[in-house]
Amino acid sequence: INCSNGQSSQNAITFGSVAPEIKKQITEVALATRIYHGRSLDIVYQQAIYQQQNFYYADHDFLSIFSFKSVFGNLPNKPDFDNAGVVISESLANTIFGDKVPLDQLLKIDGKEYRILDVVKVPVKSHLQFDVLLSIENFEDLYEWSYQSGLDFHTYGLYAENTNHVVVGEKVSTLYNTQMNDRFADFISQSDNFVQPLSEIYLYSEGVRSNLGEGSLKTIYILAAIDLLILLIAVINYVNLTTAQYEKRIREIGVRKVIGANRSQLIFQFLGESVLLTLLSFAGALALNQVLFDSFGRLMQITAEIDYWSEPAILVTLLGSAQLLGILTGLYPETHGAKEDSS
């Protein structure tokens, strides 16, 4: 947004009228939802108070657009959700109810009672983090709030199958630009809006103001560079130590050659030892990671999860990388030592 006073800003928030008008005017958008990140509120259940829970208010389409898994397979229909229904996160359900089934229990929120319709799993790696999901239809004067107020909402849409994403994105941008110009014509000189794919929101939104979570691609690059530097130092140290060990193994190499071993067999043997050592180190690293992960997270005050056990592709990639690293780290000292001995 370029303001008439010369200032500009990037924002990921919209009018509340964007989502309903998209569904009305653009047939290629199958589903659309507004999200209002409400202030943290207390929950009362049987006289017990659970303070400062994270609230989202959204349209019913929220439950269909996003893939939050239902714990009980009971995602609510629109009438129940809009009529004082509530969906809570699995972590909050465990905090309040423990092992009990919380369905149909009543929670008092901001002086009003809501019936629990379902419990969903909220992954740590999702940029949408909530404890309580309420229907936005519960707001009084919703129409006036959506069509006459300012920028309070995040808007998400799901395209119908076999649609041209570029064309639909342009239609959405045109619709929103029209709303911006009609609503803020006296305050802005130019409004350029665009649709951002969901997969790019978390890491590619630096500089964009938002009430929801976001990460930093720059931070990932910095941490990856540090990791590679540490790995390179470890490789260099290993190569130096292994090369130095050949002075102690010259007699062994000579005996093996006397009994018929050729240069390629010696190289294969020593490369195998290097790969085996690397794989053992890799297994040890996984074990240490598993043991220290939670403690490290608490120390650094970060929330994360280990997901490679449930993702075979990631685990196979890590294992293959460890094998490749074992070959690369052993290639120079083993071939160099075998060559020196043959000479």
Side-chain angles (χ1 to χ4, degrees):
I1 300 175
N2 293 323
C3 300
S4 55
N5 62 4
Q7 296 181 343
S8 63
S9 64
Q10 288 185 304
N11 302 276
I13 47 180
T14 68
F15 300 123
S17 56
V18 173
E21 290 303 318
I22 285 176
K23 292 185 67 175
K24 288 179 184 178
Q25 301 182 33
I26 305 176
T27 57
E28 296 92 338
V29 179
L31 301 169
T33 183
R34 298 161 288 187
I35 297 176
Y36 175 69
H37 188 197
R39 71 185 191 278
S40 297
L41 295 173
D42 296 343
I43 292 176
V44 179
Y45 175 72
Q46 295 183 349
Q47 308 305 317
I49 300 176
Y50 301 88
Q51 297 180 334
Q52 298 296 301
Q53 303 302 317
N54 193 19
F55 278 75
Y56 279 4
Y57 297 87
D59 297 283
H60 182 262
D61 280 357
F62 178 97
L63 298 169
S64 300
I65 291 176
F66 300 107
S67 57
F68 295 106
K69 293 183 180 179
S70 168
V71 174
F72 299 100
N74 192 41
L75 286 176
N77 56 42
K78 182 172 171 52
D80 288 341
F81 184 60
D82 292 343
N83 185 25
V86 63
V87 174
I88 63 175
S89 68
E90 185 180 32
S91 61
L92 180 60
N94 292 335
T95 299
I96 299 177
F97 301 100
D99 296 332
K100 297 179 181 178
V101 176
L103 299 181
D104 294 325
Q105 297 295 316
L106 296 178
L107 300 178
K108 183 173 287 187
I109 302 170
D110 205 19
K112 183 177 179 180
E113 286 191 335
Y114 293 85
R115 181 167 63 94
I116 298 177
L117 302 177
D118 199 11
V119 176
V120 295
K121 297 178 181 291
V122 181
V124 174
K125 60 185 177 182
S126 173
H127 83 288
L128 298 173
Q129 295 293 322
F130 61 92
D131 299 307
V132 180
L133 180 68
L134 296 174
S135 172
I136 208 165
E137 298 292 337
N138 289 307
F139 275 94
E140 296 181 1
D141 303 324
L142 177 61
Y143 182 87
E144 287 76 11
W145 183 33
S146 297
Y147 283 81
Q148 297 178 13
S149 69
L151 304 168
D152 295 322
F153 302 85
H154 299 273
T155 300
Y156 294 82
L158 180 66
Y159 293 169
E161 294 183 0
N162 301 319
T163 60
N164 188 318
H165 290 197
V166 175
V167 173
V168 179
E170 291 176 351
K171 290 183 179 180
V172 173
S173 297
T174 300
L175 182 149
Y176 188 39
N177 278 326
T178 300
Q179 291 191 7
M180 287 290 293
N181 292 329
D182 291 343
R183 195 86 63 90
F184 288 155
D186 295 335
F187 304 98
I188 62 175
S189 59
Q190 184 180 2
S191 173
D192 294 320
N193 299 288
F194 62 93
V195 175
Q196 186 178 32
L198 181 64
S199 59
E200 296 182 4
I201 290 176
Y202 188 73
L203 291 179
Y204 296 89
S205 298
E206 191 170 354
V208 180
R209 296 173 59 189
S210 171
N211 293 327
L212 305 179
E214 65 179 49
S216 172
L217 189 62
K218 184 185 298 183
T219 301
I220 292 179
Y221 285 149
I222 292 173
L223 293 177
I226 294 173
D227 291 342
L228 290 175
L229 179 61
I230 294 173
L231 183 62
L232 179 61
I233 294 172
V235 168
I236 293 173
N237 287 337
Y238 176 81
V239 169
N240 289 336
L241 290 172
T242 305
T243 303
Q245 287 294 319
Y246 275 105
E247 294 182 3
K248 298 180 181 180
R249 303 194 66 177
I250 290 177
R251 181 176 300 177
E252 175 191 345
I253 295 173
V255 171
R256 289 185 178 276
K257 298 195 73 173
V258 168
I259 63 176
N262 56 37
R263 181 168 177 265
S264 60
Q265 289 175 325
L266 292 173
I267 292 175
F268 182 79
Q269 174 200 339
F270 294 135
L271 280 179
E273 293 177 2
S274 176
V275 171
L276 179 61
L277 182 60
T278 303
L279 291 178
L280 290 175
S281 301
F282 173 69
L286 289 183
L288 285 174
N289 191 42
Q290 192 73 34
V291 171
L292 301 176
F293 188 81
D294 291 336
S295 300
F296 180 77
R298 289 192 295 268
L299 177 65
M300 300 299 295
Q301 296 183 341
I302 58 175
T303 302
E305 61 183 6
I306 297 176
D307 57 4
Y308 47 71
W309 298 119
S310 59
E311 297 287 346
I314 296 178
L315 199 57
V316 170
T317 301
L318 291 174
L319 183 60
S321 300
Q323 290 179 317
L324 179 61
L325 184 63
I327 293 174
L328 293 177
T329 54
L331 193 60
Y332 171 76
E334 313 305 349
T335 55
H336 180 70
K339 182 177 180 180
E340 283 187 347
D341 182 73
S342 63
S343 61

